[in-house]
Amino acid sequence: MKVNRLVLNNFMIFENADIDWAENINVICGENSTGKTTLLKVMYSVLKPLGKGYKEAATKEIEEKMFVDKLQGVFRPDAMKIGRLVSRKQGSNRTDFSIILDKKQQISIGFGNRQENHADIKMDQIKAAGDFDVIYIPTKEMISTTEHFASLYEEYHIDFEEMYYDLAKLLDRPLSKGANTNEQNEILKSFEKIMKGQIVQKDKKFFLKIKGEGEFEMGLLSDGYCKLSMIVYMILSGSLNKNTILFWDEPETNMNPKMIRPIVQALVALAKMGVQIFVTTHDYFVQQEFNMLAVYPELNTENLDIRFMSLYRDEQTNDVKIELEKTASDLKYNAIMQEFDAMYDREQRIIYGD
C-alpha cells in the first residue's frame, strides 16, 4: 500500500494543498512553522486506523469515532476539540482533507471549526482488512522508556501525542519467529555497522550488546543510538517490513554528522525492500545525501522514486506555499541551502571585507 496523494483544505496552516507523493522516498524541508510535521501527523492519523487489524466498522458512528479519536490523540487540540484543527478565520469555517492510496482507495474527512468530536467520513474502496502498517518515529526516542510507558499512558493522562504510545506498543512486541529475510539482513547489517553492536531485549528492557565490552542499557546511550535501536528492533520483530509506511520526523536530531550517511543508506535499503518513506529535515547532510541519489543514476541503480518538497511562506500574504521537485538542486525555495549560502557569504565578507 502506498500514499499517492494528499489534499488539504483549511487544515491548520494549509489553506489549500494538493500533493503528489513519490512511491519510495519523500524528503520534506522548510523553515520552522511551515507545516512539515503537520503533514506527517495528518497522514498518520488517517492511515493508522486503516492499518493492520482494520475491520470494516459495524456502524457509521463507530467508524467516525475511530478517526476522530486518532486525530485527537495525535494532534491533542485544546479540550480535545477537533474543530481547533480548522484554519483560524473569523466566523464559521470548515476543513476537508483526503488521502488517495494506490489501488484507487480513498478516505475523506471533514468537520467545522465548532465541532468537538464529530466528523464526516467517506471511504471509497476501503473494505478489506488493512494489509499494511504505519510507523511514526518522532523527534524524541522511545526505546529507553518502553518498559512502563504503554501501561502508564493507558492508565493516566500523560501529555504525549499518541504516536509515542503507538511506537511503545510496537517496541513491546516479541521477536518474530524464523530466520531473517535477505532484505532484513542487508538493512540490519547497515545499522549494526553504525552502532558497532546488536540490540538485545530482556524483560521489556533494551540493551546494546558490544562484543568485548558487554551490554549497555538504553538510558546510557545517546538519543541517536536509541533511535537506531528502535529501527533495528522493529525490523527484527517484523513490525517494519515491505508493507510499511514510515514517517520519520527529523532523523538527524541528536545525531553526529558522521552517522547521517549510513542512516540514509539504511533508509534507502528500506525503500528498496518496499517501505514508503516520509522524512522531514532541517539538515544539510540528510538532504544532500538523498539529493545525490536523485541526481546521479549510478548511485540509484534501482531507480527509486525520490521527491523533494519545500514549504515556505509567501512574502506578500504569509501563506504557506509548496514546491515539489525531483531533486533538491531544483528547488527554488530551499531553506537549508539558503542558510548554507548565507553562512558562506558571511565568512567571505569576514575574509575579504564588505
Side-chain angles (χ1 to χ4, degrees):
M1 186 71 68
K2 307 292 183 184
V3 183
N4 285 353
R5 186 178 167 205
L6 172 67
V7 180
L8 300 174
N9 292 295
N10 296 323
F11 187 86
M12 296 184 68
I13 63 173
F14 292 99
E15 184 175 354
N16 297 107
D18 193 337
I19 306 165
D20 291 317
W21 297 112
E23 180 180 352
N24 302 121
I25 299 172
N26 297 275
V27 183
I28 305 168
C29 66
E31 296 180 4
N32 288 331
S33 300
T34 52
K36 299 184 299 298
T37 300
T38 297
L39 293 178
L40 299 193
K41 282 184 171 183
V42 69
M43 288 189 287
Y44 180 78
S45 299
V46 176
L47 294 172
K48 186 63 175 177
L50 299 175
K52 283 185 178 178
Y54 167 73
K55 296 180 181 179
E56 190 174 0
T59 66
K60 284 290 184 181
E61 289 75 16
I62 294 174
E63 179 182 271
E64 176 187 351
K65 187 176 188 304
M66 177 174 68
F67 291 103
V68 169
D69 286 351
K70 204 65 187 176
L71 285 164
Q72 291 172 328
V74 169
F75 283 96
R76 301 190 69 82
D78 186 45
M80 289 299 181
K81 298 178 180 179
I82 61 170
R84 296 187 63 80
L85 302 179
V86 181
S87 297
R88 303 297 173 88
K89 297 179 181 178
Q90 287 187 345
S92 181
N93 195 19
R94 178 182 173 86
T95 182
D96 290 280
F97 50 96
S98 301
I99 290 181
I100 297 89
L101 306 170
D102 57 3
K103 302 179 183 178
K104 298 181 179 179
Q105 296 177 310
Q106 178 173 337
I107 177 167
S108 302
I109 300 177
F111 48 85
N113 59 349
R114 296 173 183 173
Q115 294 293 340
E116 296 187 12
N117 53 17
H118 169 71
D120 300 314
I121 312 294
K122 181 181 179 182
M123 295 202 289
D124 188 10
Q125 304 293 330
I126 301 176
K127 294 181 180 180
D131 59 353
F132 67 99
D133 208 346
V134 189
I135 295 176
Y136 190 116
I137 300 179
T139 54
K140 301 182 183 70
E141 62 85 14
M142 279 300 301
I143 198 166
S144 64
T145 59
T146 298
E147 183 183 6
H148 302 297
F149 186 88
S151 59
L152 287 172
Y153 196 95
E154 291 164 1
E155 295 181 24
Y156 300 95
H157 178 79
I158 302 177
D159 200 18
F160 276 79
E161 294 104 328
E162 196 166 305
M163 55 270 200
Y164 287 94
Y165 171 60
D166 293 338
L167 186 55
K169 288 191 293 183
L170 289 178
L171 293 170
D172 198 28
R173 288 181 179 176
L175 293 177
S176 58
K177 293 182 179 180
N180 297 328
T181 64
N182 291 334
E183 292 90 347
Q184 285 176 315
N185 285 329
E186 180 183 353
I187 299 163
L188 291 170
K189 184 178 179 181
S190 299
F191 278 106
E192 289 173 359
K193 182 179 179 182
I194 304 169
M195 302 172 69
K196 299 180 174 62
Q198 297 178 322
I199 306 304
V200 178
Q201 186 202 48
K202 296 180 179 178
D203 300 323
K204 296 188 178 183
K205 295 180 182 179
F206 292 89
F207 301 84
L208 176 62
K209 185 178 182 179
I210 300 177
K211 188 175 181 179
E213 297 184 29
E215 298 176 352
F216 297 85
E217 51 267 54
M218 287 294 154
L220 299 180
L221 303 178
S222 69
D223 275 12
Y225 277 96
C226 290
K227 287 183 180 180
L228 293 176
S229 299
M230 289 192 299
I231 290 281
V232 170
Y233 189 79
M234 285 189 290
I235 294 170
L236 288 169
S237 67
S239 298
L240 182 50
N241 56 59
K242 64 182 181 180
N243 296 317
T244 302
I245 300 171
L246 176 63
F247 301 102
W248 195 343
D249 200 1
E250 298 181 19
E252 71 272 8
T253 303
N254 297 324
M255 290 280 192
N256 187 306
K258 289 180 66 175
M259 299 174 70
I260 296 301
R261 187 179 180 214
I263 288 168
V264 171
Q265 290 174 329
L267 287 172
V268 169
L270 283 172
K272 289 179 180 178
M273 187 172 73
V275 178
Q276 187 180 23
I277 295 170
F278 296 83
V279 171
T280 66
T281 186
H282 288 287
D283 188 78
Y284 170 82
F285 297 104
V286 171
Q287 187 184 80
Q288 288 306 105
E289 285 290 345
F290 282 117
N291 191 48
M292 288 176 65
L293 286 169
V295 171
Y296 300 107
E298 60 268 32
L299 299 180
N300 186 13
T301 55
E302 296 196 21
N303 198 28
L304 292 174
D305 184 14
I306 305 173
R307 197 158 302 173
F308 295 84
M309 170 186 284
S310 172
L311 299 171
Y312 64 97
R313 289 191 178 273
D314 185 280
E315 293 182 0
Q316 303 296 324
T317 65
N318 203 38
D319 293 336
V320 172
K321 300 294 183 181
I322 296 172
E323 182 185 11
L324 283 169
E325 295 291 349
K326 289 289 187 180
T327 71
S329 308
D330 290 330
L331 290 173
K332 182 179 178 182
Y333 299 93
N334 188 335
I336 295 171
M337 288 306 302
Q338 288 170 352
E339 186 56 34
F340 183 90
D341 292 342
M343 178 178 288
Y344 176 81
D345 290 343
R346 289 197 300 272
E347 183 180 24
Q348 295 305 298
R349 286 196 294 271
I350 292 171
I351 295 172
Y352 298 107
D354 294 333

